[in-house]
Short mmCIF file of all heavy atoms in Angstrom, two decimals:
data_model
loop_
_atom_site.label_atom_id
_atom_site.label_comp_id
_atom_site.label_asym_id
_atom_site.label_seq_id
_atom_site.Cartn_x
_atom_site.Cartn_y
_atom_site.Cartn_z
N ALA A 1365 0.80 21.65 -31.41
CA ALA A 1365 2.26 21.69 -31.41
C ALA A 1365 2.76 23.03 -30.90
O ALA A 1365 3.77 23.12 -30.20
CB ALA A 1365 2.79 21.41 -32.82
N GLY A 1366 2.04 24.10 -31.26
CA GLY A 1366 2.40 25.43 -30.76
C GLY A 1366 2.21 25.54 -29.26
O GLY A 1366 3.08 26.07 -28.55
N LEU A 1367 1.09 25.00 -28.76
CA LEU A 1367 0.86 25.00 -27.32
C LEU A 1367 1.89 24.13 -26.61
O LEU A 1367 2.33 24.44 -25.50
CB LEU A 1367 -0.55 24.49 -27.01
CG LEU A 1367 -1.72 25.34 -27.52
CD1 LEU A 1367 -3.04 24.70 -27.12
CD2 LEU A 1367 -1.62 26.76 -26.99
N GLY A 1368 2.29 23.05 -27.27
CA GLY A 1368 3.30 22.18 -26.70
C GLY A 1368 4.64 22.89 -26.58
O GLY A 1368 5.36 22.74 -25.59
N ALA A 1369 4.98 23.67 -27.61
CA ALA A 1369 6.24 24.41 -27.57
C ALA A 1369 6.22 25.42 -26.41
O ALA A 1369 7.23 25.60 -25.71
CB ALA A 1369 6.47 25.13 -28.89
N TYR A 1370 5.08 26.06 -26.22
CA TYR A 1370 4.95 27.00 -25.11
C TYR A 1370 5.10 26.28 -23.77
O TYR A 1370 5.78 26.77 -22.86
CB TYR A 1370 3.59 27.69 -25.18
CG TYR A 1370 3.26 28.54 -23.98
CD1 TYR A 1370 3.91 29.74 -23.75
CD2 TYR A 1370 2.29 28.12 -23.06
CE1 TYR A 1370 3.61 30.52 -22.63
CE2 TYR A 1370 1.99 28.89 -21.95
CZ TYR A 1370 2.64 30.09 -21.73
OH TYR A 1370 2.34 30.84 -20.63
N ALA A 1371 4.48 25.10 -23.66
CA ALA A 1371 4.59 24.32 -22.43
C ALA A 1371 6.03 23.94 -22.14
O ALA A 1371 6.49 23.98 -20.99
CB ALA A 1371 3.71 23.07 -22.52
N VAL A 1372 6.76 23.57 -23.18
CA VAL A 1372 8.18 23.21 -23.00
C VAL A 1372 8.97 24.40 -22.51
O VAL A 1372 9.79 24.29 -21.57
CB VAL A 1372 8.77 22.68 -24.33
CG1 VAL A 1372 10.29 22.53 -24.22
CG2 VAL A 1372 8.15 21.34 -24.70
N LEU A 1373 8.76 25.57 -23.12
CA LEU A 1373 9.50 26.77 -22.71
C LEU A 1373 9.21 27.14 -21.26
O LEU A 1373 10.13 27.45 -20.49
CB LEU A 1373 9.12 27.94 -23.63
CG LEU A 1373 9.62 27.86 -25.08
CD1 LEU A 1373 9.06 29.03 -25.89
CD2 LEU A 1373 11.14 27.86 -25.11
N VAL A 1374 7.93 27.10 -20.88
CA VAL A 1374 7.57 27.45 -19.51
C VAL A 1374 8.14 26.43 -18.52
O VAL A 1374 8.62 26.79 -17.44
CB VAL A 1374 6.04 27.53 -19.37
CG1 VAL A 1374 5.63 27.74 -17.90
CG2 VAL A 1374 5.48 28.67 -20.22
N THR A 1375 8.10 25.16 -18.90
CA THR A 1375 8.61 24.12 -18.01
C THR A 1375 10.12 24.21 -17.85
O THR A 1375 10.65 24.04 -16.74
CB THR A 1375 8.22 22.73 -18.54
OG1 THR A 1375 6.80 22.66 -18.67
CG2 THR A 1375 8.70 21.63 -17.60
N VAL A 1376 10.82 24.47 -18.94
CA VAL A 1376 12.27 24.65 -18.85
C VAL A 1376 12.59 25.84 -17.95
O VAL A 1376 13.51 25.78 -17.12
CB VAL A 1376 12.87 24.86 -20.26
CG1 VAL A 1376 14.32 25.32 -20.16
CG2 VAL A 1376 12.77 23.58 -21.08
N ARG A 1377 11.81 26.92 -18.09
CA ARG A 1377 11.98 28.06 -17.20
C ARG A 1377 11.81 27.64 -15.74
O ARG A 1377 12.56 28.05 -14.85
CB ARG A 1377 10.96 29.14 -17.54
CG ARG A 1377 11.01 30.38 -16.65
CD ARG A 1377 9.67 31.10 -16.58
NE ARG A 1377 8.65 30.30 -15.94
CZ ARG A 1377 7.43 30.75 -15.65
NH1 ARG A 1377 7.07 31.98 -15.99
NH2 ARG A 1377 6.54 29.96 -15.06
N GLY A 1378 10.83 26.78 -15.50
CA GLY A 1378 10.58 26.30 -14.14
C GLY A 1378 11.73 25.48 -13.60
O GLY A 1378 12.14 25.64 -12.44
N PHE A 1379 12.26 24.59 -14.43
CA PHE A 1379 13.39 23.77 -13.97
C PHE A 1379 14.62 24.63 -13.71
O PHE A 1379 15.37 24.39 -12.75
CB PHE A 1379 13.71 22.68 -15.01
CG PHE A 1379 12.77 21.51 -14.96
CD1 PHE A 1379 12.10 21.09 -16.09
CD2 PHE A 1379 12.56 20.82 -13.77
CE1 PHE A 1379 11.24 20.01 -16.06
CE2 PHE A 1379 11.69 19.74 -13.72
CZ PHE A 1379 11.03 19.33 -14.87
#
Side-chain angles (χ1 to χ4, degrees):
L1367 296 181
Y1370 172 72
V1372 170
L1373 290 175
V1374 173
T1375 302
V1376 169
R1377 179 206 65 174
F1379 282 126

